[in-house]
Each structure stands twice: as C-alpha cells, then as structure tokens.
C-alpha cells in the first residue's frame, strides 16, 4: 500500500490475536490475560512470522494504563487514600527495601557489580498497576478496605519509582564508581528538583484541578452531546497524564490517577467512569500484549536457575514481606493475604527502569531479559494466587492455632471498651461500614438519638470514631467475633452499608444465627443483585437509583404544594 499502516497493523494483530488466545485461555480455565500475553509473544521479534511495532504497542499500552488509573481515581477519593496512609506509606517503603535487598543478594551472587544489583533489585520491587487493579476488580475487592490498602500501597510505590527514575541518571556515576563527588552534587540537586516538581503537581491538582475539572465536565454535560462528553473524559484523562509527565516528570499513571481523583468531585463522575470503561478495557489488553512482545523465551532454557530465583523473589519474597507488614499493623490474616497477593507481580515500572538501567550501562541486557521473564510468569500466575487466598486461609485456620490467633487478633480496637454505656448496646443498630453512606446513616441515627455500634475494617477510622465517643469495633463483619463484639445478639437492626455484596450473605447468616429476630437492611447498585437478595429474604434492599428517584419525586411533589407521594408504591429494588 502507498502509505504506512504500521499503527493499524499493530492494533489489528494485537486485538485479533488477543481475542483468539484469550478465548483459548478461558476454555482451559485460565485467566484471559494469559492469552493476551501469548498473543504478544506470537507477534514479537523472537518468534517467526509477523512482527508488530513494539514502540507503538508500548505507547498504546501506556494509554490503557492512563485510562485505568483515571478510572481508579474516579472511585478512590483523597479521603480513602489518607485513611490508609498509616499502613500504605511505611508498608510500601519497607517492602520496596526488602525486595531490593533480595535482588541485590542474588545478583551479587551472580557476580554483578553493586550498580547493576541495585537497579535489578528495584526492578523486582514494584507491582504492576494494570494487573493489581484487574485482579481486585475481578474479585469485587476494589472498593473494600483490602482494595483501598492495596491501591494506596501501589500509589506510594509509584511515587517512589518516579523519584528513582529521575535520580538514576544522576546516580549513574556513583553506582558505576566514576566521578563520585560530581555525582553526589548532581544527586542533591536532582532530588531537590524532583521533590519540588512532585509537590508542585500535587498542590496544583488539589487547589486548581479540584475546582476546574468538575466544572469543565459540567460545562460539557450542559451541551447535551454524548460524544462530546465522552471525548472530554478521555481528553482530560490523557491530557492531564501527559501534562504531568511533560511538566512535572510525574508518571503518566500517577497523573491520570490524580485527574480521576479530582474529577470525582463532579456529580457526573459515575457517568465519566462508565463512558471511559470500554476504552480502558480495550487499551488494557494492549498492555498485556506489549509485555508479551518484549519477552524472549530463550531465557527460560538458557538461565533457568536465575529465572527461578527472580520469580521466587517476586512471588514469594515480596508476598511474605507484605503479609508480615500488614500483620504487624494488626490487620487480620485475610487482609494480609489479599494485599500480599496483590503485590506478587511486577509490571510497567519494572520495564521502564530495566530499560533505563541498560541504557545507562548500569545493568547487563541479561538483567532486562530476566526482569521481563519474571514479569510474564508472575502476571500469568497472579490470578491463580488470588484464587488460592480463601482456600489457603481456610486451610490455615483449620490446622494452625497461630493462623486462628492472627485472624482473631488480640486487638484493643476489636472489642468495645468496658466503659461503653450499656444503654447503647441494647436495641441498637449495628452499622457495617463507615464510608460515605455509612457516615450519613450514623449521623441521622445520632440526630434521632438511636443507639448505633459501627463495625469497620479500617483501623484508623475505628480509632477516630472512638475518640469522638462513637462505639466502634475493628474487623470484618463476616466473622462471628466482630458481630459478637458489636453485641448483635441484643441489636434491633443490622444495616450493611458497604458497597460490595460479596460477603453480605455470610454476614446476614451469622447475624440471624445469633439473633433470629433481627431486622436487616442492605444496599446495592445492581438491580439483578437487589432482586436476588430479596428473593433469598436476606432483608430490605435499597437500590441507589430507586432512592435517588424517590428523593427527586418527593422534591417535585413538594414544589407543587402537595403532600409527599406516600400513597405511591416504591419498590426497594
């Protein structure tokens, strides 16, 4: 053909083969992303036949990462991020240090110099944004406290890697043993400039972005054009991400994440998330295809022992470190296992860092091949690791007294203080979840002087509630101990205000075993789920859209000077 069609060929081959291999993977009871990785290997330079443009594929994959992080930001508020900062910040920093030290240990054993060892260790320390979010979404955990901790942890890892990528060129002289004095001066200057840029970006987004982006979305929505609204969402996500990288040296993913967080202030945030979902899914597939294209299968049979050690560091060393850190912060075993499995892989930052290390002459090409191979294997195995969490937890609790103690922590926040007023623990409401919905319910109950006990999985939130004089217990309400500590046996009502409905049935079953007469109230955003919950007689179910319609209708009726539409039948689902 007379014109270059490299972009079209790359997209066509990537999507077409990803669909075919994805279907094969699903038929073999494997996650579809394994098929996407295989599609990338098929069109890579290391295999015969058609070879796609790796550079173009990587850029297309980067768009997928931007849109994915933008979507996470739309559902992840600044309050959510700050709520887990006490565990996410120290946890991420210590886990990066542990993984880096393990990488240094094995690479020095291979005879590499200290510069190569440090870069290699850092490559193995940071998890993949796309893989982590996909895994959490597939398990319905993204909005849970476990998901919030994992995403907060990932954001801190991304910030650390941004700093590393900026400082590495200045550190190259020190790490290679050349011109240490000059490199030391460069390091101090580079660190100061980097921190100033990151702080400037965050301040700009919090001060300006928080006001401008929601207003911009409102102006576009007023036009009434569907395609213009979709265009504005994508333009903001990609534009802010690109601007963050070009002006502040912040990663594309982190820039898009903050753009989503700021746009969350808009009343159109849910619509924005829905509009960008198809593009997010499509471009995220290209991320996995691009990873497969970078993989050289020869490393499997030429360096099997080295590859085995790399995979062990990623999937065993990092996981154990994360699990122990979460347990050290007195979170239950389930949370520790979920966070550990979330981080048991490496991805996009590892590829960028490995490439930079090779270009700077700090790390041999062999190191980059091992990083890519470790990424491919860990990404492919991550879904299986997630699936093993619950069976392993049940097995450990059944056979180990230590596991039972870890699941039922001797935690001062896991039981109500002895000084709690007994009048608050009789005919009270047990409120599961103290997020945006739960907080409003609790406020309404306090105004009406109705006693309430909160059961919440966020330690910091429980600690704050107790300081405010609100009876609250820390833990997962699907375990009998938490509901017992909330005095469910004497409660009048159980209100489950958490957004996910995965564990609702178990909570209701435990509550009714302990208190057969208790009334139950549930929430859901899904009409089919609402109908299913009511058919199972789990309780009174409230669907978000119906309650919004009810409120709007009551306002309209009052506007016309009539009574509230109490005579109308308002189904709960």
């Amino acid at each position: 053909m007379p014109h270059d069609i490299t972009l079209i060929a790359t997209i066509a081959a990537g999507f077409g083969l990803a669909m075919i291999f994805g279907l094969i993977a699903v038929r073999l009871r494997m996650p579809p992303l394994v098929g996407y990785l295989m599609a990338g290997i098929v069109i890579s330079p290391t295999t015969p036949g058609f070879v796609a443009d790796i550079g173009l594929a990587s850029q297309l994959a980067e768009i997928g990462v931007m849109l994915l992080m933008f979507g996470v930001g739309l559902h992840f508020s600044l309050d959510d991020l700050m709520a887990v900062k006490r565990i996410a910040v120290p946890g991420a920093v210590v886990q990066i240090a542990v993984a880096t030290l393990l990488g240094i240990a094995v690479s020095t054993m291979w005879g590499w110099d200290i510069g190569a060892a440090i870069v290699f260790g850092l490559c193995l320390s940071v998890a993949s944004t796309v893989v982590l979010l996909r895994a959490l979404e597939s398990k319905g955990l993204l909005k849970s406290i476990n998901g919030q901790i994992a995403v907060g942890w990932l954001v801190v890892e991304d910030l650390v890697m941004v700093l590393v990528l900026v400082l590495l060129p200045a550190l190259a002289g020190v790490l290679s043993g050349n011109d240490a004095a000059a490199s030391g001066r460069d390091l101090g200057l580079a660190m100061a400039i980097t921190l100033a840029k990151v702080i400037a970006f965050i301040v700009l987004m919090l001060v300006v972005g928080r006001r401008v982006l929601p207003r911009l979305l409102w102006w576009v929505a007023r036009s009434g054009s569907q395609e213009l609204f979709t265009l504005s969402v994508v333009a903001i996500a990609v534009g802010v991400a690109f601007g963050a990288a070009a002006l502040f040296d912040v990663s594309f993913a982190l820039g898009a994440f903050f753009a989503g967080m700021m746009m969350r202030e808009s009343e159109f945030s849910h619509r924005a998330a829905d509009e960008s979902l198809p593009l997010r899914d499509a471009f995220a597939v290209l991320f996995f295809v691009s990873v497969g294209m970078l993989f050289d299968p020869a490393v499997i049979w030429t360096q099997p022992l080295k590859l085995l050690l790399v995979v062990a560091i990623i999937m065993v060393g990092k996981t154990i470190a994360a699990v122990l850190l979460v347990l050290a912060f007195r979170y239950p075993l389930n949370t520790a296992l979920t966070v550990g499995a979330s981080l048991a892989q490496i991805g996009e930052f590892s590829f960028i860092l490995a490439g930079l290390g090779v270009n700077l002459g700090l790390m041999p090409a062999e190191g980059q091949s091992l990083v890519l191979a470790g990424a491919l294997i860990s990404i492919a195995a991550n879904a299986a690791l997630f699936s093993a969490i619950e069976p392993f937890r049940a097995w450990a609790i059944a056979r180990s007294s230590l596991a039972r103690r870890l699941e039922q922590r001797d935690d001062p926040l896991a039981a109500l203080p002895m000084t709690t007023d007994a009048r608050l623990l009789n005919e009270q409401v047990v409120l599961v979840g103290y997020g945006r919905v739960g907080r409003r319910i609790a406020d309404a109950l306090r105004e009406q002087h109705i006693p309430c006990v909160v059961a919440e999985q966020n330690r910091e939130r429980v600690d704050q509630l107790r300081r405010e004089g609100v009876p609250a217990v820390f833990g997962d309400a699907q375990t009998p101990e938490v509901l017992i500590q909330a005095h469910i046996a004497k409660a009048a009502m159980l209100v489950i205000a958490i957004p996910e409905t995965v564990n609702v049935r178990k909570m209701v079953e435990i509550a009714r075993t302990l208190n057969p007469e208790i009334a139950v109230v549930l929430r859901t955003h899904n009409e089919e789920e609402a109908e299913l919950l009511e058919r199972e007689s789990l309780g009174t179910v409230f669907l978000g859209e119906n309650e919004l319609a009810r409120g709007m209708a009551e306002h309209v009726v009052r506007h016309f000077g009539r009574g509230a539409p109490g005579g109308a039948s308002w189904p709960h689902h």
Side-chain angles (χ1 to χ4, degrees):
M1 296 182 71
H3 55 281
D4 190 3
I5 58 167
T6 306
L7 175 62
I8 298 173
T10 300
I11 293 176
F15 282 145
L17 288 173
M19 181 189 69
I20 294 170
F21 283 101
L23 284 171
I24 293 172
V26 170
R27 285 295 182 93
L28 296 175
R29 299 185 181 277
M30 299 170 69
L33 65 85
V34 175
Y36 307 155
L37 292 167
M38 288 302 302
I41 294 173
V42 168
I43 58 176
S44 72
T46 58
T47 54
F50 173 77
V51 176
D53 190 311
I54 295 179
L56 279 176
S58 298
Q59 291 188 51
L60 293 170
E62 197 69 65
I63 296 174
V65 175
M66 292 181 204
L67 294 174
L68 195 69
M69 286 301 286
F70 176 74
V72 173
L74 283 170
H75 295 99
F76 196 88
S77 71
L78 190 61
D79 292 337
D80 292 335
L81 187 58
M82 297 307 292
V84 297
K85 68 180 184 299
R86 292 184 186 176
I87 181 174
V89 175
V93 171
V94 173
Q95 186 239 292
I96 287 174
V98 170
T100 302
L101 289 173
L102 290 173
I104 291 172
V106 297
S107 52
T108 51
M109 185 175 65
W110 300 334
W112 295 7
D113 60 43
I114 189 62
I118 291 174
V119 174
F120 183 70
L122 287 169
C123 289
L124 305 184
S125 67
V126 59
S128 165
T129 299
V130 179
V131 176
L132 182 144
L133 296 177
R134 277 297 181 87
L136 292 175
E137 282 181 334
S138 67
K139 299 295 181 181
L141 297 173
L142 191 57
K143 295 181 182 179
S144 69
I145 183 61
N146 295 350
Q148 288 176 4
I149 291 173
V151 173
W153 197 302
L154 181 73
V155 170
V156 176
E157 283 192 350
D158 284 356
L159 284 169
V160 172
M161 286 303 118
V162 168
L163 189 63
V164 169
L165 289 172
V166 174
L167 294 180
L168 195 58
L171 276 168
V174 175
L175 295 175
S176 61
N178 300 322
D179 197 14
S183 295
R185 290 193 297 272
D186 292 343
L187 173 61
L189 180 61
M191 183 175 290
I193 293 173
T194 299
L195 290 175
K197 285 183 175 180
V198 171
I199 292 171
F201 169 71
I202 293 174
V203 169
L204 180 68
M205 294 304 295
L206 292 177
V207 175
V208 179
R210 204 168 192 171
R211 292 173 173 82
V212 172
L213 295 183
R215 190 169 299 175
L216 177 61
L217 207 60
W218 165 253
W219 287 337
V220 174
R222 287 179 63 186
S223 70
S225 171
Q226 179 74 24
E227 62 269 22
L228 194 57
F229 184 86
T230 304
L231 177 62
S232 67
V233 171
V234 177
I236 290 171
V238 177
V240 172
F242 177 77
L247 301 176
F248 299 97
D249 289 326
V250 175
S251 68
F252 291 127
L254 204 62
F257 175 77
F258 271 93
M261 282 179 60
M262 298 308 102
M263 196 177 286
R264 189 178 181 280
E265 304 297 322
S266 170
E267 60 203 78
F268 297 102
S269 60
H270 288 292
R271 181 181 170 190
D274 292 340
E275 295 292 337
S276 60
L277 182 61
L279 279 174
R280 293 206 310 267
D281 288 344
F283 281 100
V285 168
L286 288 178
F287 165 76
F288 295 106
V289 173
S290 70
V291 173
M293 290 173 64
L294 293 169
F295 177 60
D296 183 2
V299 75
I300 296 175
W301 52 83
T302 58
Q303 303 287 351
L305 293 179
K306 289 183 178 180
L307 180 57
L308 186 62
L309 283 173
V310 169
V311 174
I313 291 172
I314 297 169
M315 300 199 66
V316 180
K318 283 178 62 180
T319 302
I320 292 175
V323 168
L324 293 177
L325 284 165
V326 175
L327 291 175
F329 279 88
R330 306 188 72 86
Y331 279 86
L333 182 62
N334 179 49
T335 299
L337 292 174
T338 301
V339 174
S342 300
L343 303 169
Q345 33 74 23
I346 58 174
E348 53 274 13
F349 266 117
S350 303
F351 311 145
I352 297 169
L353 186 57
L356 182 60
V358 172
N359 292 336
L360 293 172
L362 292 173
M363 189 171 73
E366 177 192 2
Q368 187 176 28
S369 297
L370 288 170
V371 168
L372 292 171
L376 183 71
I377 294 170
S378 63
I379 288 172
N382 192 249
L385 193 63
F386 253 96
S387 300
I389 290 176
E390 193 54 38
F392 174 79
R393 173 176 166 269
W395 176 86
I397 289 175
R399 289 167 175 79
S400 169
S401 59
L402 175 60
R404 288 191 290 272
R405 287 198 300 272
L406 291 174
E407 189 65 19
Q408 303 167 13
R409 305 302 298 271
D410 183 16
D411 189 334
L413 296 182
L416 289 175
M418 297 296 292
T419 55
T420 304
D421 190 341
R423 290 173 296 181
L424 301 177
L425 304 177
N426 188 41
E427 292 296 310
Q428 82 280 16
V429 173
V430 174
L431 176 62
V432 177
Y434 199 78
R436 291 182 298 277
V437 174
R439 186 180 299 112
R440 286 173 170 81
I441 294 172
D443 290 342
L445 294 175
R446 276 195 292 272
E447 288 178 5
Q448 299 298 321
H449 304 290
I450 297 173
C452 172
V453 177
V454 176
E456 168 63 49
Q457 284 187 270
N458 189 311
R459 281 184 55 83
E460 287 74 23
R461 198 168 284 163
V462 171
D463 194 31
Q464 179 63 34
L465 284 170
R466 290 197 178 183
R467 286 198 295 269
E468 295 171 1
V470 178
V473 293
F474 163 69
D476 187 350
Q478 65 169 321
T479 59
E481 294 77 17
V482 173
L483 291 177
I484 289 171
Q485 290 297 333
H487 290 250
I488 194 73
K490 295 184 178 180
M493 180 176 289
L494 172 67
V495 179
I496 303 177
I498 55 176
E500 65 274 4
T501 57
V502 178
N503 301 316
V504 160
R505 291 167 179 81
K506 193 168 184 180
M507 294 180 194
V508 175
E509 179 185 338
I510 293 169
R512 286 183 172 159
T513 299
L514 298 170
N515 184 349
E517 303 301 321
I518 194 167
V520 179
V521 177
L522 316 167
R523 63 173 282 205
T524 182
H525 293 293
N526 185 293
E527 190 164 354
E528 292 179 359
E529 179 74 20
E531 292 176 355
L532 182 61
L533 291 172
E534 286 218 335
R535 276 203 305 270
E536 295 178 6
S537 300
L538 290 181
T540 304
V541 184
F542 287 87
L543 181 64
E545 289 80 358
N546 275 1
E547 298 313 307
L548 177 62
R550 181 202 299 269
M552 293 177 70
E554 289 177 351
H555 175 77
V556 171
V557 170
R558 282 196 299 270
H559 178 77
F560 284 95
R562 301 179 185 178
S569 175
W570 285 92
H572 293 302
H573 62 270

